[in-house]
Amino acid sequence: MSTITTLTRMWLTRSLKPFRFTNEYEAVLEHQDLDHLGLYVHIPFCKKICSFCPYCKVIYSKEMCDQYIDALLQEIEMVGSTLLEKKVVTSVYFGGGTPSLASDRLKEIIDTISKYYSITEGIGVELHPDNVDIPTLQTLKEAGVTKLSIGIQSFQEKFQSILGRSSVDIEHMYTALQAVSFETVSMDFIFALPTQTYEDLQKDIDLAFQYGANHVAIYPFIDFTFTSSTVPVMGKREKRNLLDSITKYCLSKGYQRTSIWTFASKQDAKYSSMTRENFLGFGCSATTLLKDRFKINTFSVKEYCKRIQEHKLPTSLTIHFTLRQRMIYYLFWSAYSTKVDERDFERFFKVPLRKMYGVELWFAKMLGFVTVENGVYTMTLKGAFYYHYYENFYTLAYIDKMWGILRKEAFPKQLEL
């Protein structure tokens, strides 16, 4: 796996140099002049740790959560107060963990963000199905939340058992969603689980739209090496057939494909914290992507709070991109939406896309991975599968290694990928 990603990286960056991250610390994050900037806030607390989940999380306690939120507010102040004037941002997404466990303090966080940033496309929060009740939803709505993402994973007992999840009270959840409305209600599912069929996924998707969702996300199961999951991995051919079949089904129902793995029943129903040209991350493990650099905060809640108490940003690792490296990062995550517009690329980099990657785009078209019309490259079903397939290699070769190290070391000296 690492050989594939290494060779691809060398070809696309036109360099033998690896991605080199250092423990370099920056006191100020310059972002006043960046366009299309999004914000992400990480709340790492869960009532129970799911074995398959790779994200930064710890067992919830009220005391630790409040201490963490206090530090989080300080981090936002430290970054936002460097702005010369209020900054327009696209959106704010709260991830975790289970952010709704801190629902009583989300308004405080949002109010602090709003001192420095004007949010134009709404605020999203991830929820565990157990937290989808009327009081919690009312608290979120009063705080300014406009989008929900509910981690269902599966409505079916056989897959809930595989994932170590409890059953979902779908009627109770539906009653709450009907009582408190939101612009987007997204429900997340995992595909490529053992024995999972097209009919299984179709049933989950139908139930989601029937019981309050206007957006669904169907994420592939990825076997991270540092999790305790024992779930077997589905084969490539079976996985492709499953992804193609469920994509065709969603399109046949009139749902809009909003990314590789997401579909919406309404045009304005959107939920994605990844497809941003630039973003700022607040909280432990949160990442920040700026014009020429990428940074990631420490995964340690204790060290995060300690660093903030010292009035320092909690940066663990930073990479300063070469131009080609930044282009690859841009294209990889732009392609997540299934489309790349060469005008957007040229606006961002001041150079034509085809001048930099004309050969690669020609091959992608010849191989049937993309179609092109009016300067917009759109993935075919074949292209979407191979994007997913390569993304799996990328995740296991790069993200798995980085997150595995950061879970053990709060501030590593250096990392090469």
Side-chain angles (χ1 to χ4, degrees):
M1 292 183 191
S2 59
T3 301
I4 292 174
T5 48
T6 297
L7 291 173
T8 304
R9 186 208 70 229
M10 289 191 298
W11 171 257
L12 294 177
T13 62
R14 309 297 198 264
S15 172
L16 298 177
K17 292 181 180 180
F19 294 118
R20 180 172 290 110
F21 295 80
T22 68
N23 62 354
E24 174 185 339
Y25 165 71
E26 293 178 301
V28 177
L29 298 176
E30 297 288 349
H31 61 286
Q32 181 77 69
D33 298 330
L34 295 180
D35 295 326
H36 307 288
L37 180 72
L39 304 181
Y40 173 79
V41 180
H42 193 76
I43 310 291
F45 301 99
C46 290
K47 287 288 184 70
K48 176 186 175 183
I49 303 299
C50 296
S51 63
F52 63 89
C53 177
Y55 298 105
C56 175
K57 71 272 185 193
V58 295
I59 291 294
Y60 172 81
S61 79
K62 175 65 173 172
E63 180 182 2
M64 183 183 295
C65 184
D66 280 335
Q67 181 184 353
Y68 176 82
I69 299 297
D70 290 342
L72 180 64
L73 294 170
Q74 290 183 55
E75 183 189 9
I76 296 167
E77 291 277 1
M78 289 167 64
V79 174
S81 62
T82 64
L83 293 168
L84 300 176
E85 58 185 18
K86 203 165 186 178
K87 173 71 179 168
V88 173
V89 296
T90 57
S91 53
V92 180
Y93 285 95
F94 287 84
T98 310
S100 53
L101 292 175
S103 59
D104 61 326
R105 299 199 66 184
L106 287 192
K107 186 176 189 306
E108 192 177 350
I109 299 170
I110 292 168
D111 286 347
T112 302
I113 290 172
S114 298
K115 287 170 56 178
Y116 304 105
Y117 303 97
S118 297
I119 305 160
T120 61
E121 296 177 18
I123 299 171
V125 173
E126 295 176 359
L127 289 92
H128 189 283
D130 291 349
N131 300 129
V132 184
D133 54 57
I134 292 175
T136 299
L137 297 188
Q138 286 177 332
T139 299
L140 295 177
K141 186 149 189 174
E142 289 167 5
V145 173
T146 59
K147 307 170 189 281
L148 304 180
S149 175
I150 307 169
I152 303 293
Q153 317 313 347
S154 178
F155 284 121
Q156 299 169 61
E157 186 177 340
K158 58 184 174 180
F159 299 119
Q160 292 164 352
S161 178
I162 288 173
L163 296 170
R165 303 274 291 200
S166 56
S167 62
V168 177
D169 188 338
I170 193 168
E171 294 290 348
H172 177 77
M173 186 174 67
Y174 179 65
T175 298
L177 292 171
Q178 290 297 104
V180 188
S181 63
F182 290 84
E183 173 188 304
T184 297
V185 176
S186 182
M187 295 186 187
D188 290 0
F189 298 93
I190 294 180
F191 88 90
L193 293 171
T195 74
Q196 191 177 44
T197 65
Y198 160 72
E199 289 76 19
D200 291 324
L201 271 177
Q202 180 187 325
K203 182 178 179 181
D204 275 343
I205 291 169
D206 288 345
L207 283 171
F209 285 119
Q210 182 181 344
Y211 282 89
N214 55 22
H215 183 278
V216 296
I218 312 162
Y219 296 113
F221 175 78
I222 297 178
D223 185 24
F224 287 88
T225 61
F226 54 76
T227 66
S228 58
S229 175
T230 58
V231 179
V233 177
M234 183 178 282
K236 175 185 174 182
R237 184 186 299 274
E238 190 178 2
K239 191 183 293 186
R240 179 175 180 182
N241 289 338
L242 194 56
L243 181 61
D244 285 355
S245 297
I246 206 63
T247 299
K248 290 175 181 176
Y249 174 72
C250 288
L251 295 177
S252 75
K253 297 287 286 187
Y255 303 143
Q256 298 179 10
R257 190 176 199 175
T258 55
S259 77
I260 292 292
W261 301 304
T262 60
F263 300 88
S265 61
K266 291 175 58 180
Q267 187 171 3
D268 58 351
K270 298 177 181 179
Y271 199 102
S272 175
S273 59
M274 289 184 281
T275 51
R276 301 288 181 270
E277 290 182 355
N278 307 284
F279 51 82
L280 285 175
F282 299 107
C284 66
S285 80
T287 58
T288 290
L289 175 67
L290 302 180
K291 186 72 175 181
D292 61 354
R293 63 196 183 280
F294 175 92
K295 77 180 198 72
I296 185 166
N297 285 350
T298 179
F299 273 48
S300 168
V301 172
K302 179 182 177 181
E303 293 300 324
Y304 171 84
C305 294
K306 181 180 177 182
R307 191 77 170 254
I308 296 295
Q309 289 168 1
E310 295 170 351
H311 302 289
K312 297 178 181 178
L313 293 179
T315 308
S316 181
L317 291 170
T318 300
I319 181 172
H320 286 268
F321 288 119
T322 66
L323 180 61
R324 285 274 188 178
Q325 286 174 341
R326 184 63 175 92
M327 287 178 174
I328 291 305
Y329 199 101
Y330 176 98
L331 290 172
F332 185 82
W333 288 112
S334 294
Y336 180 82
S337 70
T338 73
K339 299 178 188 295
V340 174
D341 191 324
E342 62 184 10
R343 287 157 295 201
D344 291 337
F345 182 93
E346 186 165 356
R347 171 184 52 79
F348 191 87
F349 291 106
K350 313 303 181 191
V351 61
L353 173 61
R354 277 180 282 187
K355 179 178 180 180
M356 304 306 293
Y357 292 106
V359 172
E360 290 84 355
L361 291 169
W362 182 85
F363 271 111
K365 185 179 177 183
M366 292 300 102
L367 291 170
F369 292 163
V370 299
T371 59
V372 59
E373 185 176 354
N374 297 325
V376 178
Y377 293 83
T378 303
M379 284 185 191
T380 61
L381 284 178
K382 181 180 180 181
F385 172 76
Y386 278 100
Y387 174 94
H388 151 70
Y389 193 63
Y390 184 81
E391 195 269 345
N392 188 76
F393 282 114
Y394 162 83
T395 297
L396 292 176
Y398 292 157
I399 296 178
D400 183 277
K401 181 178 179 180
M402 174 181 280
W403 288 3
I405 291 172
L406 288 170
R407 287 160 67 93
K408 297 175 182 178
E409 297 181 61
F411 298 102
K413 290 185 178 180
Q414 183 172 298
L415 174 64
E416 290 190 355
L417 298 174

